[in-house]
Amino acid sequence: MPGLLIEGAVSVATMAGGLRRGAAQADAAVLTGPGLAIAAWRSRILAVGSRDDVHRQIAADGYPLEAFERLDAAGGLVTPGLVDAHTHLVFAGTREVEWQMRTHGAGYLEILAAGGGILSTVAATRAASDEELLTGARRRLAEMLANGTTTAEAKSGYGLDVVTELRLLEVIGRLGGEGPVQLVPTFLGAHAVPAEYRGRPNGTDAYVASVIDDQLPQVARQGIARFCDVFCETGVFDAAQTGRILRAAAGHGLARRIHADELAPSGGAELAAETGCLSADHLAAASEEGIAALVRVADSGHPVVATLLPATSWFLGQHHFAPARRFIDAGVSVALATDLNPGTSPTVSLPLVMSIACVEMGLTPAEALAGITINAAHSLGLDSEIGSIEPGKQADLVIWDVSTLEQIPYWLGSNRIRAVVKRGATVVTRA
Ligand code: NIG
Ligand code: FE
């Protein structure tokens, strides 16, 4: 049926009102009442409010009530579909051995420098067939959807050569076409220096040149990637190298985001502000100057969203998290994401990320919810389409088995989802 009518909700966190920053990050624009309803026609939201108001709106717009499939929210909460703005969705292999080495004292960058870490996933990914990559990623996408994610960013970055980077973007493009999870493809050719460039004199600069001169032009010609990302980190790519890549990407019409200051301050946050990135990600080790740079652009026409990845800090066993409270209190918009990847964050669950953000970063559940809906949508340049429940926007919704948004992160590690709707179609239902 072309219409969808959700009835019987007691709470709707609409997230209406655009990008959240400062005190507004805590405003989930919640409607409460005994019988709230949401109507969608085809892929778009038609109305949200009391049952009577929504029925009146349907009649006023001339839609026949019989053309609406009914979905019972059964006294639960409805939120926008969740938006995961940072994932490394497509990869082969697993890294549980390295994870155990880390829990016994080895460092993440130390393992990478010894040819493990990202590079072991690169070796497995290069050796995998398209079919194997598709199968692994489809399984993760199904789990993401079951946990409420209706849109996700997805990076390449485990190819590190022209052929495999293009192949990964092709796979991401195919998976996005299959749906129902909507994907935003990001080119991350500068995720690490591959083995064949290590040990060469100026190997990192030579690889940066190949990213700019060989990979980027072909990625742009392929036309799948929307963003370019770089792992800007001490011992990986420095700020000057990252800046060269991001400026070249801008020249090819790609939007920008950065892995910035994850483990040590390396000028990533400053560069994000300078190069017009929509998002600076990680920021667990951002410097005072970096924080100040994000604050300076926060109320300009081009704010950089601070996309924080607390599951990564937690899974790395760090006791130091990104200064989320400082960002919010200083007026920097905060998003949260899983960073789904086989090395530092093998999780698909945004509700779990919310829980960690509340416990370890001191966010309130409402602030965390803004981080995985409207602010994440903004960081992907999709805020006019997704991230809030407002008439005219895409009908991407999660119907929860709980009655307050605070209960989403409270039920630690539990799946409290009753149904998921993507573009007006019910794509998950749970008993
Ligand atoms: O965001 N830090 C770089 N990239 C990922 C980790 C990727 C990996 O270890 O495979 C991250 O944490
Ligand atoms: Fe990452």
Side-chain angles (χ1 to χ4, degrees), residues 122-135:
V122 169
T125 302
R126 286 178 178 176
S129 67
D130 287 3
E131 217 37 62
E132 286 164 336
L133 293 172
L134 284 162
T135 304

Side-chain angles (χ1 to χ4, degrees), residues 5-12 33-38 49-51 55 70-78 399-400 402-403 418:
L5 184 54
I6 299 167
E7 290 183 328
V10 297
S11 180
V12 181
L36 297 170
I38 298 168
S50 72
R51 183 179 180 278
H55 277 247
R70 305 292 177 110
L71 190 55
D72 184 9
L77 158 78
V78 183
I399 296 106
W400 302 82
V402 298
S403 55
R418 176 179 293 276

Side-chain angles (χ1 to χ4, degrees), residues 86 88 95 108 118 158 191 231 259 262 282 339 341 343-344:
H86 184 138
H88 303 255
R95 307 231 299 269
Y108 176 72
I118 293 173
Y158 292 120
H191 194 191
F231 186 13
H259 279 72
E262 175 180 358
H282 282 293
D339 194 17
N341 76 77
T344 64

Side-chain angles (χ1 to χ4, degrees), residues 195-221:
E196 56 276 21
Y197 281 82
R198 288 171 184 253
R200 283 205 210 174
N202 302 318
T204 303
D205 278 326
Y207 183 65
V208 168
S210 91
V211 169
I212 293 172
D213 299 334
D214 305 332
Q215 297 187 24
L216 259 176
Q218 298 198 53
V219 164
R221 210 168 309 129

Side-chain angles (χ1 to χ4, degrees), residues 194-382:
E196 56 276 21
Y197 281 82
R198 288 171 184 253
R200 283 205 210 174
N202 302 318
T204 303
D205 278 326
Y207 183 65
V208 168
S210 91
V211 169
I212 293 172
D213 299 334
D214 305 332
Q215 297 187 24
L216 259 176
Q218 298 198 53
V219 164
R221 210 168 309 129
Q222 183 192 37
I224 295 173
R226 299 245 285 274
F227 281 87
C228 178
D229 188 351
V230 176
F231 186 13
C232 181
E233 189 70 47
T234 311
V236 190
F237 300 100
D238 66 23
Q241 292 159 338
T242 304
R244 290 210 293 278
I245 295 169
L246 292 180
R247 289 189 182 95
H252 287 289
L254 293 175
R256 279 92 48 215
R257 50 205 317 109
I258 312 190
H259 279 72
D261 309 318
E262 175 180 358
L263 304 160
S266 44
E270 295 89 320
L271 195 63
E274 256 168 54
T275 55
C277 286
L278 276 179
S279 179
D281 299 25
H282 282 293
L283 300 171
S287 66
E288 287 302 319
E289 295 74 31
I291 295 172
L294 296 182
V295 172
R296 267 198 302 280
V297 294
D299 61 358
S300 71
H302 299 282
V304 180
V305 175
T307 299
L308 311 182
L309 312 171
T312 303
S313 306
W314 184 76
F315 196 72
L316 281 171
Q318 288 169 339
H319 301 286
H320 181 76
F321 288 75
R325 276 259 61 88
R326 274 194 70 190
F327 283 127
I328 291 176
D329 296 343
V332 176
S333 299
V334 166
L336 300 170
T338 60
D339 194 17
L340 165 63
N341 76 77
T344 64
S345 187
T347 183
V348 295
S349 171
L350 283 170
L352 179 65
V353 168
M354 278 180 93
S355 303
I356 302 173
C358 292
V359 172
E360 298 285 3
M361 293 171 154
L363 261 57
T364 66
E367 288 172 331
L369 186 61
I372 57 172
T373 54
I374 189 66
N375 283 10
H378 196 282
S379 89
L380 296 174
L382 291 177

